[in-house]
Amino acid sequence: MYMEKIIDENKQGENLILEHKESNSRKLFIESYGCQMNFSDSEIVASILSEEGFNTTKSLEDADLVLVNTCSIRDKAEQTVRKRLEKYNAVKRSKNPKMKIGVLGCMAERLKSKFLEEEKMVDLVVGPDAYKDLPNLISEVDDGRNAINVILSKEETYGDIAPVRLNSNGVTAFVSITRGCDNMCTFCVVPFTRGRERSREPQSIIEEINDLASKGFKEVTLLGQNVDSYLWYGGGLKKDFKKATDMQKATAVNFAMLLDMCAKAQPKMRFRFSTSNPQDMTLDVIETMAKHRNICNYVHLPVQSGNNRILKAMNRLHTREEYFELIDNIRRIIPDIAISQDMIAGFPTETEEEHQDTLSLMDYVKYDFGFMFAYSERPGTLAGRRMEDDIPVDVKQRRLNEIQALQREHSHYRTKQNVGKVQEILIEKSSKKSDAHWSGRNSQNTVAVFPKEHYKVGDFVNVKITDCTSATLIGEAVGYSDNN
Ligand code: SAH
Ligand code: F3S
């Protein structure tokens, strides 16, 4: 799920830094754009650099090193990063000539040395699998040379690095469980920028979760481009599993098993996960969700289109009918589950009728939330190479508007269903609109606000929902839930 809203809000000055080493004297300013995985990766980077003498700072002007963790998913995401790079360079020229600037993440991987050669906007270029090389790369930069490492790895999962929590509310955290993606959706740049899919050792995941629990965190979101495809058999790529020994096959851990392990390791902690690809989501995952009260009743299940011809052209390996079957199974096993989508409007060759299929699919599912985008051609992808981006911008935009309007209707419909119910809310922070109210989320991931009274951040509170806006529940606390 992409956090465009968070990008907007990710302004200077909002970092809450949990760990600072007194002995560190250099200052790191780090910003993240794009997916939750990038936010999580930046915490790994901050941890690696904390061992190298860097504490994070929220002031760009004072930074010795500025790193931007970048997103290539759509052209607009790359333009946003370019604007930030211009800003850093302006600050460097006018206020802080010693500042070094580095680009991390998907744009680093996609554009590689172009950043150093043609654009001359950065000193350092580091791809998503090369963060452990940062100490060497930074010493090159300190010696006055540009430095680059964009080698993709078959093994790296950063399982041995304890992230420094940035921008944290101290209650919710991300834990990454897989890296890369092998799905090769034809529109998507991720398999090129993040490499082949590999899973992180379960024990290191459980240790990170236990550590978070001991620090007072109450909710963990397990992250991967395609979490349902998680498979640990002693290391190695997902695609090489067929070559594993019988012993490795017999002791392999899949996603349902991992979820079960997490839920049991910390029974009072809430668990979420993102993202599920419909073609990889199995019934045992849904059954495991149903079995554990602490696995939230929420699934992000991107579909991209409601039309079979377009799904095929996108290399999404399921049909509209199979998707409906999955939705029906999920709702049968967990009736009060919330489901969200990602949708792409105006994929090459999409007709008006095929767009209508997307709207009718939405009518069937009535998603709780959605993340909707106009198709953006990405260089190097199969669709980018083989298909003309032939839907005019205004048509794409109109189709996107229709999808968004329908989603707003459905979100409102779903939100309203909660009114009158008592729901368990985990308090995360003060409400943005009123300092007298807490803001938190229910199991279904819908935000709820209610008067603060004597409750505090991190409490699980039963809240009677009395009203709602299109996306937010409004209520009153009726007492602590039995999960505290
Ligand atoms: N599995 C990933 C999906 C990454 S891309 C995850 O963790 O979320 C996130 C969403 O961006 C996709 O589901 C898709 O809806 C959208 N997207 C990806 N490539 C796109 C493109 N070329 N144009 C428009 N939207 C795109
Ligand atoms: Fe991209 Fe499809 Fe993987 S959307 S991240 S290639 S599941």
Side-chain angles (χ1 to χ4, degrees):
M1 166 191 342
Y2 273 62
M3 309 213 302
E4 315 243 313
K5 248 204 221 139
I6 295 198
I7 296 172
D8 292 337
E9 288 164 11
N10 185 18
K11 295 186 200 99
Q12 235 177 297
E14 290 183 0
N15 297 24
L16 168 69
I17 296 144
L18 290 183
E19 287 169 60
H20 257 264
K21 277 197 187 158
E22 283 301 322
S23 54
N24 281 348
S25 58
R26 302 176 87 185
K27 295 195 190 102
L28 164 69
F29 178 92
I30 184 162
E31 268 190 326
S32 310
Y33 291 89
C35 65
Q36 292 162 327
M37 184 74 86
N38 265 2
F39 287 74
S40 169
D41 281 359
S42 291
E43 300 187 327
I44 288 165
V45 168
S47 170
I48 293 169
L49 292 185
S50 151
E51 300 298 311
E52 297 299 308
F54 286 93
N55 277 338
T56 47
T57 173
K58 49 191 178 184
S59 158
L60 181 57
E61 282 82 359
D62 296 337
D64 299 299
L65 176 64
V66 173
L67 295 178
V68 58
N69 203 342
T70 61
C71 175
S72 289
I73 201 81
R74 286 168 290 275
D75 186 55
K76 208 172 122 206
E78 292 202 346
Q79 296 312 329
T80 309
V81 168
R82 282 179 198 281
K83 282 206 197 91
R84 287 307 285 162
L85 286 172
E86 279 162 21
K87 165 85 180 170
Y88 306 152
N89 276 282
V91 171
K92 177 173 174 161
R93 278 192 301 274
S94 64
K95 299 203 174 111
N96 184 356
K98 279 199 238 133
M99 174 198 282
K100 302 291 182 194
I101 301 172
V103 55
L104 313 176
C106 288
M107 269 176 94
E109 195 61 51
R110 197 177 84 71
L111 297 166
K112 302 189 167 63
S113 56
K114 265 196 196 160
F115 268 120
L116 301 172
E117 289 153 13
E118 291 165 25
E119 317 212 5
K120 301 203 185 331
M121 286 207 283
V122 301
D123 306 286
L124 179 70
V125 178
V126 193
D129 285 345
Y131 299 145
K132 281 192 192 150
D133 197 26
L134 270 165
N136 298 325
L137 297 166
I138 288 170
S139 68
E140 294 249 325
V141 169
D142 286 341
D143 291 344
R145 291 187 294 273
N146 288 336
I148 179 165
N149 186 344
V150 288
I151 296 171
L152 287 172
S153 159
K154 291 182 180 171
E155 290 99 30
E156 187 59 81
T157 60
Y158 301 110
D160 53 338
I161 305 231
V164 167
R165 304 289 162 185
L166 303 167
N167 292 305
S168 176
N169 55 18
V171 178
T172 59
F174 297 126
V175 171
S176 59
I177 63 162
T178 69
R179 296 185 74 81
C181 186
D182 288 348
N183 275 348
M184 291 305 220
C185 303
T186 57
F187 52 81
C188 184
V189 78
V190 169
F192 302 92
T193 58
R194 287 190 165 267
R196 299 285 57 80
E197 187 181 308
R198 66 219 99 115
S199 297
R200 176 175 167 190
E201 202 229 318
Q203 205 47 46
S204 82
I205 297 171
I206 300 294
E207 276 161 23
E208 187 172 339
I209 287 168
N210 289 343
D211 181 55
L212 284 164
S214 75
K215 291 180 173 141
F217 284 82
K218 301 290 171 75
E219 182 182 297
V220 160
T221 303
L222 305 173
L223 286 185
Q225 300 300 335
N226 182 18
V227 283
D228 298 78
S229 174
Y230 177 91
L231 187 63
W232 171 261
Y233 59 98
L237 293 175
K238 164 88 183 213
K239 70 183 179 62
D240 292 333
F241 181 62
K242 41 188 181 310
K243 292 187 226 151
T245 63
D246 289 347
M247 182 65 170
Q248 282 176 317
K249 284 184 181 153
T251 54
V253 176
N254 66 19
F255 184 56
M257 292 154 95
L258 179 73
L259 263 184
D260 193 65
M261 286 165 70
C262 294
K264 282 184 183 143
Q266 290 297 336
K268 297 230 173 238
M269 207 168 201
R270 267 186 181 180
F271 291 93
R272 302 183 188 278
F273 53 88
S274 191
T275 297
S276 294
N277 188 310
Q279 70 207 38
D280 294 309
M281 188 165 199
T282 54
L283 279 186
D284 57 344
V285 168
I286 306 158
E287 276 154 8
T288 307
M289 291 173 77
K291 197 169 93 189
H292 294 284
R293 162 189 161 157
N294 61 332
I295 303 178
C296 289
N297 290 347
Y298 170 52
V299 55
H300 183 54
L301 204 59
V303 64
Q304 321 296 358
S305 164
N307 175 269
N308 282 337
R309 189 187 72 86
I310 295 293
L311 285 171
K312 198 156 182 217
M314 288 175 161
N315 194 32
R316 304 286 289 189
L317 301 181
H318 61 81
T319 61
R320 172 187 174 96
E321 293 72 27
E322 284 162 344
Y323 187 78
F324 285 156
E325 198 182 318
L326 178 62
I327 296 284
D328 292 347
N329 277 328
I330 294 174
R331 290 238 159 93
R332 177 174 51 77
I333 300 170
I334 310 174
D336 66 340
I337 198 158
I339 303 175
S340 59
Q341 44 87 349
D342 287 349
M343 230 37 116
I344 297 180
F347 185 78
T349 72
E350 183 188 66
T351 65
E352 219 42 57
E353 248 180 2
E354 290 165 338
H355 163 63
Q356 290 300 325
D357 284 344
T358 295
L359 299 177
S360 71
L361 176 138
M362 290 174 71
D363 275 328
Y364 183 89
V365 183
K366 291 198 173 55
Y367 294 99
D368 292 74
F369 321 96
F371 302 86
M372 297 143 286
F373 314 100
Y375 173 72
S376 166
E377 183 177 287
R378 305 317 291 134
T381 59
L382 203 72
R385 284 183 281 133
R386 301 251 175 95
M387 302 183 87
E388 194 193 334
D389 182 8
D390 60 352
I391 309 297
V393 176
D394 57 330
V395 175
K396 272 188 207 169
Q397 192 55 46
R398 196 246 314 139
R399 290 182 189 167
L400 178 62
N401 291 346
E402 288 174 11
I403 292 172
Q404 287 172 327
L406 187 58
Q407 183 53 54
R408 263 194 302 279
E409 239 176 68
H410 291 159
S411 294
H412 197 191
Y413 165 80
R414 291 286 179 201
T415 312
K416 269 195 300 202
Q417 309 292 308
N418 297 298
V419 175
K421 294 185 182 159
V422 173
Q423 296 188 318
E424 182 188 76
I425 308 294
L426 170 60
I427 302 177
E428 291 174 27
K429 57 189 176 193
S430 282
S431 155
K432 261 188 225 139
K433 294 216 177 108
S434 146
D435 214 31
H437 288 72
W438 288 128
S439 165
R441 279 172 296 152
N442 65 8
S443 173
Q444 288 79 359
N445 209 35
T446 307
V447 172
V449 296
F450 57 97
K452 284 186 173 173
E453 301 180 58
H454 55 287
Y455 300 103
K456 55 184 195 317
V457 167
D459 285 344
F460 286 97
V461 177
N462 286 330
V463 173
K464 167 112 191 191
I465 309 300
T466 50
D467 200 358
C468 69
T469 65
S470 62
T472 307
L473 303 171
I474 300 160
E476 277 164 31
V478 294
Y480 289 104
S481 94
D482 58 6
N483 197 37
N484 289 288

